[in-house]
Amino acid sequence: MPRQSEIVVPPGKIRERLDVFLTHSVENATRTKVQEAIEAGLVLVNGKPTKASYRVSPNDVINITIPQPKRQEVVAENIPINIIYEDEFLIVVNKPAGMVTHPAYGNYTGTLVNALLYHCNGKLSSANNITRAGIVHRLDKDTSGLMVVAKDDSTHAKLAKQFSQRTVEREYWAIVWGVFKKNKKGIIETNLGRSKSDRKKITVTEDGKHAITEYEVVDEFDYLSLIRLKLRTGRTHQIRVHLHHIGHPVFGDPTYGGRKIAYGSTDKKRKEEVHELLEIIPRQALHAKTLGFIHPLTNKKMSLNSKIPDDMREVLEMLRGDDDIPIAKT
């Protein structure tokens, strides 16, 4: 079935092209797909078809019909994965940055699910459909770190319950802009929701979902800090949005201000140094380092740890000016 949406252009909205507005307003939309929908007559503005170049105005009512993409077959692929723990019920993997968690529109191959289907010979939970086989929780494409995956439906249900009850322990490490002059540890508590100006982004909003993040400084440098974070809730982009909100965006984050010089001098030498660091890490410097949960079958506490990935480690080495970083080896 096609997906139909009605969007009312908010008051005070600056006039812009219809295709640009819809690309920012419709989740998972691309400008090409939006333009194709407009050309096919699937977009109506105030009840009438129009062109992609039409300039939207406040209070315009836009109806868009998005065709359901053709379902792709999810195939097992022999992709190497870093296994931290495995038994007959579950598997914990260290997902690399750049790998999508599960197949979705535009990414039907090369995902963690494709790799797991091969490694586990198809033995993954079916609580979700085949595109999300075994997946209990997710990490953003460019966030690295630990994920637990279920091999059967019973294990999946018990793990999912722990996540919903917020008893799973998750600690992330991040390199962020700036130093924390006053509070070396603290709690960030806001409501988070989709940005009204760009539906692909999350923002702090009064009518969003409650989100709580704890942070603590591990180390500080001239204009960057290494911090550890714990999630009390699990909202989309939660850590990245929360850190941007308090003025310490995750270093390298292209979506939430992490690729701009946010602190320190902007002289030529500093700019060159920052650009060199950004070349090392073309993504957000965020890693899901530890994961703790109760094993659904044995009822034993599982506490798993992972090393800081090479790109983050290299940035830290350059900031320290030497190769001795014991914290990165834990």
Side-chain angles (χ1 to χ4, degrees), residues 37-70:
I38 293 172
E39 291 177 3
L42 298 177
V43 177
L44 303 179
V45 179
N46 301 322
K48 298 179 181 179
T50 188
K51 297 180 179 180
S53 59
Y54 170 79
R55 299 274 175 175
V56 300
S57 299
N59 301 316
D60 275 348
V61 178
I62 303 171
N63 294 96
I64 179 170
T65 301
I66 304 172
Q68 188 72 19
K70 183 179 179 181

Side-chain angles (χ1 to χ4, degrees), residues 96-99 140-144 175 177 240 250-260 273-286 309-315 318:
M99 175 179 274
D140 294 338
K141 174 184 176 182
D142 288 324
T143 296
S144 56
I175 301 171
W177 277 103
R240 298 161 64 192
V250 179
F251 185 70
D253 190 338
T255 304
Y256 299 105
R259 302 196 73 80
K260 301 176 182 178
E273 182 178 312
V274 171
H275 289 319
E276 186 175 358
L277 293 174
L278 288 173
E279 285 182 3
I280 294 172
I281 186 159
R283 53 111 178 181
Q284 61 263 16
L286 179 62
D310 291 343
D311 54 1
M312 289 178 63
R313 179 182 173 82
E314 188 173 348
V315 168
M318 288 190 64

Side-chain angles (χ1 to χ4, degrees), residues 47-94:
K48 298 179 181 179
T50 188
K51 297 180 179 180
S53 59
Y54 170 79
R55 299 274 175 175
V56 300
S57 299
N59 301 316
D60 275 348
V61 178
I62 303 171
N63 294 96
I64 179 170
T65 301
I66 304 172
Q68 188 72 19
K70 183 179 179 181
R71 182 175 294 277
Q72 301 288 324
E73 181 182 359
V74 180
V75 298
E77 296 180 76
N78 187 8
I79 302 171
I81 49 178
N82 182 5
I83 299 170
I84 304 299
Y85 173 85
E86 183 177 14
D87 59 29
E88 61 181 305
F89 307 106
L90 57 85
I91 179 171
V92 177
V93 299
N94 187 9

